[in-house]
Amino acid sequence: MNLHNIFTVYLKELKDTLRDRRSLMSMIIIPTFVMPALTFGVGKIAAGVVNKAREETPAVMIVGGDDSPGVAAALRQDKKLKVVPTAADWKQQISDKKVRAAVLIPVGFEAGLKAGAADAVVIYNYDGELKSGFAVSELEKFFRDLREQTVTARLAERALPATLVKPFDLRRENVAAPEKVGGNLLGGIVPYIIIILCFTGAMYPAMDLTAGEKERGTMETLLCSPVARVDLVLGKFLMVLTGSLSAMLLSLTSMGLSATFAGFMFSSGGGAAKLAAAAHQAGAAGSAMPMIDPFGLLGVVAMVLPVSVFFSAVIFTVALFAKSYKEAQSYVAPMIFLIIMPAVVGMLPGIDLNARLALVPILNLSLVCKEMLSGIWHWNYIALIFGSSCVYAAIALTLAVKMFNREDVIFRA
Amino acid sequence: MIEAQNLTKTFKDKKRGVITAVDDVSFTCRPGQIYGLLGANGAGKTTTLRLLATLLKPSRGHATVAGCDVEREPEKVRAHVGFLAASTALYGRLTAREMITYFGRLNGMTDPAIKARIQHLATELDMAEFLDRRCDKFSTGMKQKTSIARTLVHDPAVMIFDEPTLGLDVMTARAIVGFVRDCRNRGKTVIYSTHIMSEVEKLCDQVGIIHGGRLVAEGTLPELRARFGEQDMEEVFVKAVGGEAALAAALKN
């Protein structure tokens, strides 16, 4: 192994790659601009859609209730509901999203309430439809209030205290630090994005430096040089790794800067306060980035390093086998699904790290990143995952060198 | 100097089984001479030259190039060889200067030495005008000149040419032939593969006719003409490979 030769090959490949638009897109443009734009843009749009849906007064129908005029009148006076005249095809109208919900007031409801017991009120809705959901919430709140008023009135009639049915209050308060809340919210999605970007960042340089070179006829030119093949592989591999790491680091930096910028905007008062309130309302919809523990992020970067080496070496090896760029794409592109699956599983709630899962590539990274971003540091698992990732990376790199030395791969006709 | 002894190369093919691309080939190529390797498509010319340039490893036999063994010292062999083939392309996103500099560095040259060498080659090959332009914008002639400069940057003692005029226009092909002749005049060992008879007649001091992976005839042009009783090189070639039927069968395979 000759470091000077490896560095010479690396520098040439870096120059060559920086002049290749496809590689630049996957290495620099997408991670720097597209991912944060997607994260914040989609979050902003989602928050906007939710807020707009909330602002709409949902149209509802009252089915029955002719003998309960008081309840029907109270419903009509509720400013958060728009009671429209009842139609015979009210079920169809809900399905067609013309009305958001309907409430069935049973016969003799008011009389039954006065007598002590009434039949059930039924709310009809469109399951899974956002605006129908808001209408149901309002209707449920209306009837919950009605129930509480009835209970209060009955207690008053019997001269009993309100505490009889409500002996204590229940409150909820968050004690976790903002970065832990942030880590918990984003713990799943951040590693997911990093894993995908690490892969796509390596993808185009790897294909260009292997199958691309074969297709363009420069591979044979390069093999004529007196440099040992292992040096050629390592120089090229370092370039692929640069692509992978630059995609990861640029995306983390740009997401971090965006989060800081968003945080600054939300905390600087005035017009920004309004924005913060809107963001707060939107909750986890993504328009406001909660704080992320910087040590957690550093931990993520450290854990991603061997996985990035692993990705780079695997894509390099697979692409090397192909005769053309197109063929390489057809081999490498489906690999994204193999990467996404464990990354998605890692995002699922309820799946926690254990010794067995710590050995499953990608999934282990996803799980440990989630923990580290939430401020949980299981050092034994971290060591196991880092160690196993290094072993996988070493195996993949050895395989890449072996493949590069195979005549039937390099001169595959 | 190139010395090949019983050089053999076999490949495994899923459909056709074991294929012997080069079969027990022996020849010697001396400094200041052009050795022409003449053969039809698929005869084994490229494989032989790739074995000599250490791009492939021989299955049997051995060869030395500039005194270095192709199996034991492949890096040293390549350091003494300039390999030019139709299949050795240029990096399109690099300029001619960057391309030549890269190969100079890969050959262990220092930057001042590379700079001086580029200056010399650019003058000799009339490349000054396009030296700092990207190779993907070059005409065929410019590409060939840059490729030649790339092979010569480390001033190798041995030049291997694998059908270098394939697909080139007449003027560029003539320039290449002239360049090959220059290499011989400078005392380099030159091996030149082709299936174009006129090139063999113009250039080669010694000719080896290769057919089905085997070296079926070898000698100077007058020796071969005398041996097969023909003046026309094409007729010599057809007789050497066993007649038209044998040639057609080989091409079919």
Side-chain angles (χ1 to χ4, degrees):
Chain A
M1 209 190 303
N2 180 319
L3 284 179
H4 175 264
N5 285 344
I6 295 172
F7 195 61
T8 302
V9 174
Y10 171 70
L11 282 184
K12 178 263 158 191
E13 299 299 3
L14 183 65
K15 187 185 276 183
D16 205 354
T17 303
L18 289 175
R19 290 176 185 175
D20 176 33
R21 267 185 238 152
R22 284 174 300 195
S23 298
L24 273 187
M25 281 293 284
S26 70
M27 275 170 56
I28 296 172
I29 312 288
I30 289 178
T32 310
F33 301 107
V34 179
M35 287 316 289
L38 267 181
T39 318
F40 287 91
V42 170
K44 198 81 197 152
I45 292 167
V49 168
V50 172
N51 284 338
K52 203 178 165 196
R54 275 187 201 279
E55 279 166 16
E56 181 193 297
T57 310
V60 296
M61 284 183 184
I62 301 170
V63 182
D66 296 337
D67 53 359
S68 303
V71 176
L75 269 172
R76 284 193 183 92
Q77 278 170 7
D78 191 327
K79 285 179 181 163
K80 290 184 174 173
L81 292 168
K82 186 174 138 194
V83 177
V84 296
T86 308
D89 63 340
W90 54 271
K91 280 190 179 174
Q92 188 58 43
Q93 290 210 27
I94 294 172
S95 292
D96 295 344
K97 299 184 185 175
K98 286 176 183 161
V99 289
R100 301 300 174 190
V103 57
L104 173 80
I105 300 173
V107 179
F109 179 69
E110 275 184 14
L113 268 187
K114 277 176 191 156
D119 286 341
V121 173
V122 184
I123 297 168
Y124 294 92
N125 70 320
Y126 186 142
D127 257 351
E129 209 276 311
L130 188 70
K131 290 178 182 175
S132 184
F134 288 146
V136 169
S137 300
E138 287 305 329
L139 284 169
E140 281 178 343
K141 185 176 176 293
F142 175 86
F143 283 99
R144 215 168 31 240
D145 289 349
L146 179 64
R147 192 162 51 194
E148 279 182 15
Q149 283 163 20
T150 309
V151 170
T152 309
R154 283 177 187 173
L155 289 172
E157 270 173 25
R158 289 165 179 77
L160 292 169
T163 51
L164 189 73
V165 292
K166 200 179 177 185
F168 59 87
D169 269 342
L170 188 60
R171 272 186 322 185
R172 194 172 70 169
E173 271 184 35
N174 169 47
V175 293
E179 59 268 22
K180 288 206 171 188
V181 177
N184 213 28
L185 275 172
L186 299 168
I189 192 78
V190 168
Y192 174 79
I193 292 175
I194 288 173
I195 288 169
I196 302 284
L197 285 173
C198 259
F199 188 85
T200 53
M203 213 166 110
Y204 289 98
M207 292 191 295
D208 191 63
L209 265 52
T210 53
E213 280 222 25
K214 277 192 198 176
E215 192 175 14
R216 295 189 293 268
T218 48
M219 185 65 94
E220 196 167 332
T221 316
L222 183 61
L223 293 174
C224 296
S225 72
V227 174
R229 295 210 174 156
V230 66
D231 296 345
L232 295 178
V233 179
L234 292 179
K236 281 174 173 285
F237 163 77
L238 280 181
M239 180 55 237
V240 179
L241 183 64
T242 304
S244 177
L245 291 179
S246 72
M248 186 263 284
L249 290 174
L250 283 172
S251 69
L252 274 184
T253 310
S254 71
M255 280 198 286
L257 284 177
S258 313
T260 312
F261 179 66
F264 174 75
M265 275 179 68
F266 296 154
S267 62
S268 58
K274 220 171 144 187
L275 196 61
H280 181 72
Q281 254 195 336
S287 64
M289 290 283 275
M291 278 177 71
I292 296 178
D293 179 14
F295 289 108
L297 266 189
L298 277 179
V300 169
V301 172
M303 294 304 284
V304 166
L305 278 174
V307 177
S308 193
V309 172
F310 174 69
F311 280 166
S312 303
V314 168
I315 305 171
F316 186 89
T317 309
V318 172
L320 188 62
F321 187 74
K323 280 181 288 188
S324 66
Y325 198 91
K326 227 175 183 177
E327 190 186 340
Q329 269 182 320
S330 67
Y331 294 151
V332 175
M335 287 170 68
I336 289 184
F337 296 106
L338 293 178
I339 306 301
I340 288 177
M341 269 191 288
V344 168
V345 171
M347 277 169 69
L348 297 176
I351 295 188
D352 291 322
L353 201 53
N354 58 40
R356 212 154 39 115
L357 292 181
L359 295 173
V360 180
I362 306 164
L363 176 61
N364 57 9
L365 174 71
S366 190
L367 290 172
V368 79
C369 288
K370 198 161 83 174
E371 286 197 348
M372 287 194 298
L373 288 173
S374 309
I376 303 165
W377 299 79
H378 280 135
W379 288 105
N380 48 347
Y381 285 148
I382 290 170
L384 186 61
I385 292 169
F386 193 81
S388 65
S389 300
C390 285
V391 170
Y392 297 142
I395 293 171
L397 193 53
T398 309
L399 195 68
V401 175
K402 282 201 164 182
M403 284 289 267
F404 204 83
N405 275 300
R406 275 179 55 175
E407 292 170 357
D408 58 335
V409 171
I410 294 292
F411 292 101
R412 192 168 152 247
Chain B
M1 178 92 142
I2 299 171
E3 282 182 297
Q5 284 184 347
N6 310 106
L7 216 49
T8 303
K9 181 66 183 175
T10 56
F11 295 106
K12 278 181 193 159
D13 185 271
K14 276 181 189 168
K15 287 177 189 163
R16 295 186 288 170
V18 177
I19 297 164
T20 307
V22 176
D23 191 1
D24 209 24
V25 168
S26 303
F27 61 86
T28 303
C29 180
R30 291 179 179 80
Q33 273 196 353
I34 299 175
Y35 187 98
L37 208 53
L38 183 63
N41 288 338
K45 303 187 295 288
T46 298
T47 307
T48 306
L49 298 188
R50 280 178 176 173
L51 289 170
L52 295 176
T54 75
L55 301 182
L56 298 174
K57 282 182 186 159
S59 307
R60 282 193 304 278
H62 65 268
T64 55
V65 176
C68 306
D69 190 279
V70 293
E71 271 201 279
R72 287 198 301 271
E73 306 157 296
E75 281 97 23
K76 277 189 184 172
V77 168
R78 292 198 295 272
H80 289 103
V81 165
F83 185 86
L84 185 70
S87 54
T88 49
L90 302 170
Y91 287 107
R93 295 190 287 262
L94 296 189
T95 64
R97 190 190 298 278
E98 287 167 345
M99 179 83 197
I100 304 164
T101 305
Y102 180 45
F103 278 84
R105 284 180 186 151
L106 292 179
N107 277 287
M109 294 169 73
T110 62
D111 280 357
I114 295 170
K115 208 174 167 185
R117 187 73 178 149
I118 290 177
Q119 188 70 34
H120 172 76
L121 289 169
T123 311
E124 199 176 22
L125 295 163
D126 193 21
M127 291 174 63
E129 191 200 330
F130 58 88
L131 207 51
D132 292 305
R133 276 159 55 187
R134 275 171 59 156
C135 297
D136 53 5
K137 303 274 189 287
F138 283 179
S139 66
T140 319
M142 291 170 176
K143 279 182 184 164
Q144 278 302 336
K145 282 183 180 179
T146 311
S147 284
I148 290 169
R150 189 265 304 164
T151 57
L152 286 178
V153 65
H154 56 303
D155 197 16
V158 176
M159 292 298 295
I160 300 177
F161 296 94
D162 184 18
E163 304 199 76
T165 58
L166 195 75
L168 298 184
D169 61 80
V170 179
M171 285 310 290
T172 317
R174 276 175 68 86
I176 294 274
V177 168
F179 163 70
V180 175
R181 210 177 273 131
D182 281 352
C183 286
R184 172 182 56 192
N185 297 343
R186 288 174 199 178
K188 292 185 191 295
T189 306
V190 180
I191 183 161
Y192 187 98
S193 89
T194 184
H195 62 267
I196 304 167
M197 307 300 157
S198 60
E199 282 182 0
V200 174
E201 287 172 325
K202 270 190 227 167
L203 283 173
C204 302
D205 303 299
Q206 192 84 9
V207 179
I209 297 177
I210 192 165
H211 179 68
R214 298 183 72 87
L215 200 66
V216 292
E218 194 186 23
T220 60
L221 285 171
E223 281 169 359
L224 288 172
R225 283 179 179 132
R227 183 176 155 190
F228 292 99
E230 295 284 352
Q231 280 307 300
D232 184 64
M233 199 54 212
E234 196 172 296
E235 295 305 321
V236 170
F237 173 72
V238 172
K239 277 196 172 174
V241 301
E244 281 186 6
L247 188 61
L251 286 171
K252 202 177 171 187
N253 284 330

